[in-house]
Amino acid sequence: MSLPKAFDNDESYFKSAVEFLENYSWIYSEANTSCIKALDRMPKVFKDYFLSASNESLNTFPFVHVPLEDCPNELQDLRQQIAKMIPEAHTPTAPRKVPSKCSNQNRKIGRKKLHEIEQLAANIHEHCAKAETQLLVDLGSGLGYLSEALLQLNDNYLILGLEADEQRVISAQQRCEKLMPQKALNSISYRQEFVSADAQCRDRIEAHTSELAQSHGLSPELTTITMAIIGLHACADLSVSAMRLFLTMPQVRSLLIMPCCYHKLALREGIDDLVSSPFVNFPLSSALNKATANLAVCCFNRPFLRLACQETSSRWRKDSAAHAEHGHQMYWRALANAVSDDPDELVKVQPKSQQTTHDFNGLCLRYQLHSRLTAQLLSWRPSHETRFRQINERYSEGRGSHLAEALCCLQTSIQKLCENLLLYDRLCYLREAAAEQQLRVEVRYEQLFDEQVSPRCQVLIAKKL
Ligand SMILES: C[S@@+](CC[C@H](N)C(=O)[O-])C[C@H]1O[C@@H](n2cnc3c(N)ncnc32)[C@H](O)[C@@H]1O
């Protein structure tokens, strides 16, 4: 995740990306369960193209660097704009060789998770060996997989695992006692802690690390200890707290963190205008904040963040039956939502039911209506049937399902742009904040994992020079 080649500075990149998103926010600004509104806003020329496009064209469309001759000018232009604003696809770093005991111990962990643990641990270890790091602080340590893998690579590390969920802290401790050699039990310390970047939390982290260092005969003063902050799937605001802790803790020399779940970023309090971003930690950099300053409507909302952390285009290619099935499910779910149109009503999928007909009866069989206030099951009413007819008339004969899949195709096409904007904003912020503190840092993202296996595959790597 970086500055695309077509731009020579951050501000012009952010400006172009924000202008693009402002024009095309209809592609993502509604949740897919409410996508009828997005379909209504889709330009006719887009609809005409996707209704007649071949499966091959649909499969190729999100790969915006690949020419697609059959597109009308409006869609050619859209694809060219996206292609300019996303970094060139790069090959992931060649997988590291991981000692076999690391894999053996984690036999019950799924392939994706194991791939992530092994590759991130090997990358951190390589980096820490160069930086002579002694103590690692694993943020959002969960069940302790990353910490364990690192200790297997070097049993001289001291590791402090911080985790908000008490049950996970207990499970991590139990796992460690059961699986790790005696020496490791003294080298890993799991603590329950909701990590933030405020001064009190920083003081507690320093107290924990000092205690761990002291128990190993190192100076509790910490000034002589080299530390790194690490994390695998550090969700939502946790990766931003990690960046701030890296900047404010002098003994922390490196940061290696793999962010995820951007859609869980915390909301700001008391925002009632439509222009400001509703999130505490996005945008962060002054460059992106400047680019959004004159917007009429803010283009960053929860669906934007959700799209940024969705599947990448690498799994988009499917056969026509799979596209048709996905579009069908998405359209009918959204249609049921749109038909209900009462904020006190909630639509749920009827468990184990199949939609047998493509009419109002079919919809009533497949979806249930509940009261949000009392949770009681409600009956579909004649007014719902009237709305059904009005909406379905616009999207009859399978057009709705087809266009719902077209909308997904457009979302997949801009997913990388959304993710790059969010991750690159963090990188710019880290550089800006370091410069303000007169700290010399080197910051970059590295694609560590195979995107097909693990869509969130970018690791933010920062070191103090
Ligand atoms: C997606 S899980 C990843 C767990 C582990 N790193 C792994 O990859 O197996 C994210 C973990 O971070 C924890 N977490 C999220 N925000 C946190 C915070 N602010 N402070 C501490 N833990 C946090 C969650 O409870 C959860 O266990």
Side-chain angles (χ1 to χ4, degrees), residues 344-454:
D344 292 337
E345 291 172 351
L346 177 69
V347 173
K348 289 187 184 173
V349 179
Q350 179 109 269
K352 295 185 192 151
S353 70
Q354 289 291 335
Q355 184 173 348
T356 46
T357 53
H358 296 159
D359 54 15
F360 186 62
N361 286 339
L363 181 138
C364 299
L365 275 176
R366 180 81 176 114
Y367 300 98
Q368 287 177 334
L369 199 59
H370 291 258
S371 160
R372 281 187 198 272
L373 307 173
T374 64
Q376 263 185 334
L377 189 62
L378 304 173
S379 302
W380 291 99
R381 298 183 294 278
S383 59
H384 291 135
E385 186 163 4
T386 308
R387 278 189 62 73
F388 171 88
R389 287 190 201 294
Q390 284 164 355
I391 300 169
N392 203 35
E393 206 170 41
R394 302 200 289 278
Y395 298 108
S396 58
E397 293 166 21
R399 285 163 49 91
S401 306
H402 223 94
L403 292 175
E405 193 64 354
L407 185 65
C408 275
C409 176
L410 292 166
Q411 290 169 352
T412 306
S413 310
I414 64 170
Q415 184 281 330
K416 199 86 337 122
L417 167 58
C418 300
E419 187 167 15
N420 196 56
L421 199 63
L422 184 127
L423 292 183
Y424 190 61
D425 171 56
R426 291 181 179 182
L427 184 146
C428 293
Y429 167 74
L430 193 51
R431 279 192 192 137
E432 286 170 7
E436 244 168 61
Q437 293 179 34
Q438 296 180 338
L439 267 179
R440 284 180 61 233
V441 295
E442 201 177 87
V443 197
R444 67 177 196 281
Y445 283 98
E446 204 171 298
Q447 182 174 334
L448 267 202
F449 313 137
D450 177 351
E451 204 176 280
Q452 292 248 5
V453 182
S454 192

Side-chain angles (χ1 to χ4, degrees), residues 320-341:
S320 54
H323 278 305
E325 176 58 19
H326 183 260
H328 174 82
Q329 296 299 344
M330 179 167 150
Y331 171 67
W332 281 85
R333 177 71 181 76
L335 183 56
N337 256 7
V339 163
S340 116
D341 196 35

Side-chain angles (χ1 to χ4, degrees), residues 176-332:
C176 184
E177 281 159 25
K178 194 168 149 205
L179 298 172
M180 300 293 284
Q182 186 60 36
K183 183 175 176 194
L185 302 185
N186 304 322
S187 307
I188 301 188
S189 168
Y190 293 112
R191 300 283 182 138
Q192 186 188 3
E193 176 74 51
F194 182 86
V195 176
S196 71
D198 68 26
Q200 292 87 338
C201 182
R202 207 170 56 230
D203 289 348
R204 283 194 299 276
I205 297 176
E206 283 179 348
H208 293 321
T209 46
S210 165
E211 200 181 303
L212 186 60
Q214 202 172 6
S215 69
H216 280 261
L218 298 171
S219 159
E221 290 306 314
L222 296 182
T223 44
T224 55
I225 299 177
T226 309
M227 287 168 41
I229 288 179
I230 59 168
L232 171 61
H233 287 298
C235 48
D237 299 275
L238 181 58
S239 6
V240 179
S241 299
M243 286 164 36
R244 293 192 172 124
L245 289 168
F246 163 76
L247 288 170
T248 52
M249 292 177 70
Q251 59 283 25
V252 175
R253 307 300 304 167
S254 324
L255 170 71
L256 294 104
I257 200 128
M258 204 203 90
C260 73
C261 299
Y262 321 131
H263 63 294
K264 293 185 185 163
L265 283 177
L267 288 172
R268 290 205 271 166
E269 277 171 22
I271 295 290
D272 51 12
D273 64 75
L274 292 171
V275 185
S276 312
S277 161
F279 304 103
V280 182
N281 282 324
F282 180 66
L284 284 171
S285 67
S286 60
L288 184 54
N289 272 306
K290 207 163 156 188
T292 56
N294 296 320
L295 288 181
V297 174
C298 181
C299 47
F300 302 136
N301 54 8
R302 197 70 78 190
F304 170 86
L305 298 182
R306 196 165 282 123
L307 180 55
C309 63
Q310 245 164 36
E311 286 283 0
T312 65
S313 54
S314 63
R315 293 203 214 164
W316 168 251
R317 286 193 174 95
K318 295 184 202 113
D319 63 33
S320 54
H323 278 305
E325 176 58 19
H326 183 260
H328 174 82
Q329 296 299 344
M330 179 167 150
Y331 171 67
W332 281 85

Side-chain angles (χ1 to χ4, degrees), residues 153-169:
L153 294 171
N154 177 359
D155 63 4
N156 287 321
Y157 284 137
L158 298 179
I159 303 184
L160 172 67
L162 298 176
E163 167 56 51
D165 181 332
E166 185 186 10
Q167 196 47 52
R168 288 186 188 189
V169 175

